[in-house]
Amino acid sequence: MTSPTAPEARRVLAVAALGTLLVLVAFTLPLSTLNATADALHADLAGRTWILSSMSIGLAAALLSAGTLADDIGRRRTLAVGLVVMAVGSVTGVLVGDVTVFVLSRIVVGIGGAAVVASSLGMIAHAFAPGPARAAASGVWGAGVGAGIAVGPILSALLERVHSWHDAYWVLAAASVVLALVAERCVPDSRSDRPRGLDVAGAVSFAVAVAALLAALVEGRQGWTHPVVAALAGVALLASCLFVVVERRSTAPMIDLALLRSPAFAAATVAAVSVGAGAVASMSYLPGFVTLALDIDALGAATLLLAWSATSVLTALLARWTPPQVSGRAQLAVGLIGIGIGLAALTGLDAESGWARLLPGLLVAGVATGVVNAALGREAVASVPAGRGGMGSGANNTARYVGSAVGVTVVAVVATRPGPGAVRDALVDGWNVATAVTAGVSIVGGLGVAALHVKTRSGASTSPLGADGIPGRPSGSWS
């Protein structure tokens, strides 16, 4: 398949970045309007938890399958279908007005979002050759991630203040349909030269494993001894074992398990899990925390989150000027450690702390998150065989969202644990402990990526992989 012309490549990048932005907008819409949404849907504490977490299940369960489909049937087509699915799910959730239907619709939105995210990086990998051009394009894609996180809570809070929390979901649906039409008319399609077909047994077992794991984490926040939690955890374990067995026997596995021995793939995966369990987990909890504990209203909380997300957007865009001598894995390691430093600066609050006390840590974490987002998109497709960019994107983003689900659960459990004194003081104490934990996760993740980077440079790997750490690929054949 021929490579796109320069104007076509720019259109591909615009559509891929905007699609990713819309997915992150959808992901963050409930953060600043949770109280209004839960009250309108008559949701109890468990319902509120599911409102926040349900989209993660659809995303994480479908990302790997969506990446494989995108590579095989066409990345633009997969992206357009995903956008339409997001629109349908968003409209359904606000039309019915029932908490169960809303949660299910959010899972559907997550499945559509998985198709968009997985195909977007594959489109970029096809449109831009390895080197500075792809680095710059990956920076724009990373900026789309940060921009979506910035826009979602602000949009939701503003429209809820003007009219209704419903309005943000209508805007999301309309924007998704418009972008799908633009993609179909203006962007060339691309696919792998050697389609492998969808490994149905692997896809089903993987989806069941991830969905059961995330559902267990969500239900576990209400009580870890409940039989439902144990049952879901058992299903996740059994489905995970089945997935490994299926992939080992499949002639066209969803993911080559030999990649797990690749330092490049392992580094990208560790980075994705770490940024999800660190930065994303803390920032997901931030709006609710400052509203309850620091008396900051919903719009103020969304604006405060902007200090982190907008900074990450700017940094991701500036990352294109990173010297070529600085590898992607070095950027990931430095970025994760920087996130840890920024999150550590968010500890030590008291009940009288204001927004200014949080600002320095948010800015540091924002800069570091931008560095990670810019490098992670490139490393996700560079760490898999040529022509499988969608699969690489799906695997990497699955790791990110599983990490964020685990991190959000840990933060929620630690930050809301009963403590001595007033409720407000207990919330602040819980936040201090939770951010210290996520800071530690980020720093450990950064050190792990650094160790994998050193291992590759020293040639210490003895696995049967290419010199770049990719199965069956010669040195320098990054794609």
Side-chain angles (χ1 to χ4, degrees):
M1 185 174 292
T2 60
S3 299
T5 63
E8 288 175 336
R10 288 193 291 270
R11 291 197 293 270
V12 166
L13 178 58
V15 168
L18 287 173
T20 302
L21 182 150
L22 288 179
V23 174
L24 272 298
V25 167
F27 189 75
T28 56
L29 280 182
L31 292 182
S32 59
T33 57
L34 177 61
N35 290 334
T37 304
D39 291 344
L41 298 175
H42 307 291
D44 57 13
L45 179 60
R48 288 169 178 258
T49 303
W50 275 101
I51 287 170
L52 286 177
S53 304
S54 47
M55 187 173 167
S56 292
I57 292 178
L59 273 166
L63 271 163
L64 196 54
S65 300
T68 299
L69 286 173
D71 287 334
D72 284 358
I73 69 173
R75 298 171 184 118
R76 183 204 64 202
R77 179 185 303 177
T78 303
L79 180 138
V81 170
L83 287 167
V84 173
V85 171
M86 284 176 56
V88 171
S90 298
V91 170
T92 302
V94 297
L95 281 179
V96 176
D98 175 78
V99 65
T100 301
V101 174
F102 184 81
V103 166
L104 292 174
S105 75
R106 292 283 292 170
I107 294 175
V108 171
V109 172
I111 293 172
V116 175
V117 172
S119 55
S120 63
L121 276 176
M123 291 167 62
I124 291 173
H126 174 74
F128 294 89
R134 185 178 292 176
S138 297
V140 173
W141 183 88
V145 173
I149 295 173
V151 170
I154 292 284
L155 176 67
S156 185
L158 281 174
L159 293 180
E160 191 274 332
R161 176 174 288 192
V162 172
H163 182 247
S164 168
W165 64 272
H166 289 171
D167 296 347
Y169 295 88
W170 284 104
V171 170
L172 172 66
S176 298
V177 170
V178 169
L179 187 61
L181 293 174
V182 170
E184 284 294 314
R185 290 179 62 88
C186 301
V187 174
D189 208 354
S190 65
R191 66 191 71 189
S192 174
D193 294 331
R194 292 173 293 182
R196 302 179 68 183
L198 181 63
D199 176 14
V200 176
V204 172
S205 58
F206 183 82
V208 170
V210 173
L213 171 63
L214 299 190
L217 291 172
V218 174
E219 284 295 307
R221 296 175 212 172
Q222 319 306 322
W224 296 102
T225 59
H226 199 283
V228 172
V229 178
L232 288 168
V235 169
L237 179 61
L238 289 174
S240 298
C241 294
L242 178 61
F243 174 73
V244 172
V245 172
V246 168
E247 295 304 279
R248 285 184 176 278
R249 295 182 177 181
S250 175
T251 56
M254 289 182 64
I255 183 169
D256 186 350
L257 296 181
L259 285 169
L260 298 176
R261 292 177 285 149
S262 159
F265 187 83
T269 302
V270 168
V273 171
S274 300
V275 76
V280 176
S282 291
M283 296 305 115
S284 297
Y285 187 75
L286 177 71
F289 164 71
V290 299
T291 300
L292 292 173
L294 304 183
D295 292 331
I296 297 175
D297 63 17
L299 184 57
T303 305
L304 185 61
L305 185 64
L306 192 65
W308 169 70
S309 54
T311 305
S312 74
V313 172
L314 180 61
T315 306
L317 291 173
L318 294 175
R320 71 180 67 187
W321 285 291
T322 302
Q325 294 82 3
V326 181
S327 71
R329 269 171 274 171
Q331 292 177 53
L332 291 177
V334 171
L336 286 169
I337 292 171
I339 289 173
I341 293 171
L343 294 179
L346 299 179
T347 62
L349 303 186
D350 58 45
E352 303 305 317
S353 297
W355 63 268
R357 170 63 179 79
L358 294 164
L359 194 58
L362 290 173
L363 293 175
V364 172
V367 170
T369 303
V371 172
V372 172
N373 284 341
L376 196 54
R378 184 170 75 256
E379 293 299 299
V381 295
S383 61
V384 297
R388 308 306 299 180
M391 184 269 284
S393 171
N396 192 264
N397 281 285
T398 298
R400 184 199 294 257
Y401 288 108
V402 169
S404 69
V406 173
V408 167
T409 297
V410 171
V411 169
V413 170
V414 173
T416 59
R417 76 195 194 287
V423 173
R424 186 173 175 179
D425 291 334
L427 284 172
V428 172
D429 291 342
W431 166 264
N432 289 333
V433 176
T435 48
V437 171
T438 55
V441 167
S442 301
I443 292 172
V444 169
L447 294 175
V449 172
L452 289 166
H453 177 60
V454 170
K455 178 180 179 181
T456 302
R457 288 176 62 88
S458 65
S461 176
T462 58
S463 65
L465 308 175
D468 280 332
I470 309 300
R473 295 174 60 193
S475 176
S477 60
W478 300 96
S479 68

